[in-house]
Amino acid sequence: MNKSEFGVIGLGVMGKSLSLNIAESGFNLSVYNRSDGAEANIVSDFIAENSGFKNILGFKDIQEFVNSIEKPRKILMMIKAGTVVDAVINQLTQFLDPDDVLVDGGNSYFLDTKRRYESLKTKRIHFIGCGISGGEEGARKGPSLMPGGNINSYKLVGSILEKISAKDVNNNPCCAYIANDGAGHFVKMIHNGIEYAEMQLLAELYALLSLTMPNEAISELFSKWNNTDLSSYLLEISAKILTKKKNGIYIIDTILDKAGNKGTGSWSSKLALEIGVPTTMMTSAVFARYLSSFKTKREHLSKLVATKNSNPNIPNIQILEDAYRFARIINHYQGFEIIIETSKENNWDINLSELARIWTNGCIIRSELMRNISELFKSKNDLFDHNYIVNTLKTSEFSISELIKSAITNRVPLDTYWSAYNYWISMTSKRLPANLIQAQRDFFGAHTYQKLNDASGKFYHTNWAKSKNS
Ligand code: 6PG
């Protein structure tokens, strides 16, 4: 029997959809899933449900699965990030040969990917950490793929990954080699950080609009914006969500207001804190999710505090539109800044224009803004060096301040809009009160400070406890 050209391990939602995508793209495929406990029939059910695909072979035995694939083998793991990935790699490597290629398509932490990459290198097994975005539908019809690892490893699987990926407006694949070791999973992690803030911006806007507008009207507004430069996948789905009913009741009104998360947003924020890049918006979005989870406490406290403004008044639509545009630009700016910094630290030399391009379709943060950003990065990597960006922020600063004022009056938390506004105000302030921080540090800890207009960069210490004029 002919050997398969590709293998997929893990038939969860994403694994199944990607398998069908790969098979539909014409590749002979072997699939494997463990078959203990509740997963006993996953493989056979999948094969039975998709019996139309004659090019998919199912396996419950990992060795038979590996042997069914032509050499050098190309295997995609679609399993939950964490220690399971190490366990599966250990199990697999007994049966793999040098030059085989293993791709981790889960949301693994990029430093884990780096460690696995180094360890598999000693066994001469190619390891690719591939960020995959697009959810179930993207996986089935064409996701955005962010592969990282050795460029020669990428060449062995690149044509398959590019074929199954989404295509941009010019019909080029939304899949491009990112850089060495953990770079693919790193950019996917930041993609998710940007995603968290984009989602939160829409949620906060919905909170404010709901004061005076019914779901249908908010949905109409979002749909209208979706035909402008504000267009994005998240805006489109939010418009759809707001009108979906079950038994005559809006589903959105029945959903418990506690947001979950699987960790990538907090990983991005932790890294930002470690390396000193103020990604304030994604971090605010992570905290907003955490805050939402205190539902019982919130309910209790809400009874103690007078809340509802009986006569809510929200800014006009133009103000909201400009404020939303403003905040999205800051979010993207911050997201790409942490990519620039980490790329420098790791000598990855990530091509930002290409990265933004592969995020123009297939992924969750695809948008018109991303298309613009991809073009802007062709000339300069600092978005604040582009007149379009700075002028847009400058002209919409008034709108975001109006939005925030209205949030205060109406007692609506707008964490991510506040973060965007404060970031911009700080970044455009010649002088910040950090001089007082430095003086305080020097006062209690002799941490020293530098002086204004002293090009030598020399550090000074003052004996602050002495009399005023010493
Ligand atoms: C994507 C998404 C996806 C993400 C889930 C869950 O790009 O397709 O980012 O990979 O992991 O949507 O994320 P949270 O549970 O953390 O919201």
Side-chain angles (χ1 to χ4, degrees), residues 76-258:
L76 171 66
M77 291 188 297
M78 290 307 301
I79 50 185
K80 198 172 176 294
T83 49
V84 188
V85 176
D86 292 303
V88 172
I89 291 177
N90 284 340
Q91 206 188 356
L92 256 182
T93 42
Q94 321 166 42
F95 310 118
L96 295 181
D97 292 302
D99 297 330
D100 285 349
V101 190
L102 196 53
V103 182
D104 175 8
N107 271 331
S108 289
Y109 185 54
F110 78 105
L111 293 180
D112 287 338
T113 301
K114 197 169 178 163
R115 170 177 55 76
R116 290 165 188 147
Y117 168 87
E118 296 299 344
S119 145
L120 287 168
K121 197 157 80 177
T122 63
K123 299 187 168 80
R124 288 185 40 218
I125 291 169
H126 299 274
F127 186 61
I128 293 184
C130 184
I132 301 185
S133 177
E136 185 180 0
E137 197 193 344
R140 180 68 182 86
K141 295 183 183 158
S144 170
L145 298 175
M146 300 146 239
N150 186 298
I151 182 74
N152 293 322
S153 313
Y154 178 68
K155 284 179 187 156
L156 297 170
V157 284
S159 59
I160 301 179
L161 298 183
E162 288 172 21
K163 190 149 187 203
I164 64 161
S165 73
K167 304 296 174 288
D168 69 12
V169 273
N170 298 316
N171 210 27
N172 291 318
C174 288
C175 168
Y177 172 70
I178 304 294
N180 218 352
D181 54 75
H185 277 143
F186 163 73
V187 296
K188 175 62 189 1
M189 178 181 86
I190 302 302
H191 165 287
N192 282 25
I194 297 172
E195 171 186 301
Y196 271 50
E198 290 292 294
M199 292 166 77
Q200 184 66 24
L201 284 173
L202 284 166
E204 290 172 8
L205 204 51
Y206 153 73
L208 193 68
L209 291 169
S210 300
L211 298 176
T212 59
M213 285 162 77
N215 291 337
E216 295 282 346
I218 303 173
S219 170
E220 258 171 49
L221 178 67
F222 285 1
S223 299
K224 202 170 137 214
W225 285 357
N226 206 35
N227 291 318
T228 70
D229 64 307
L230 292 175
S231 144
S232 76
Y233 169 72
L234 285 168
L235 188 62
E236 179 192 330
I237 64 164
S238 302
K240 288 185 180 153
I241 288 168
L242 287 165
T243 54
K244 185 87 176 164
K245 285 182 179 175
K246 190 172 181 197
N247 302 328
I249 296 171
Y250 290 106
I251 297 179
I252 187 73
D253 295 339
T254 67
I255 297 179
L256 178 65
D257 49 332
K258 279 167 82 166

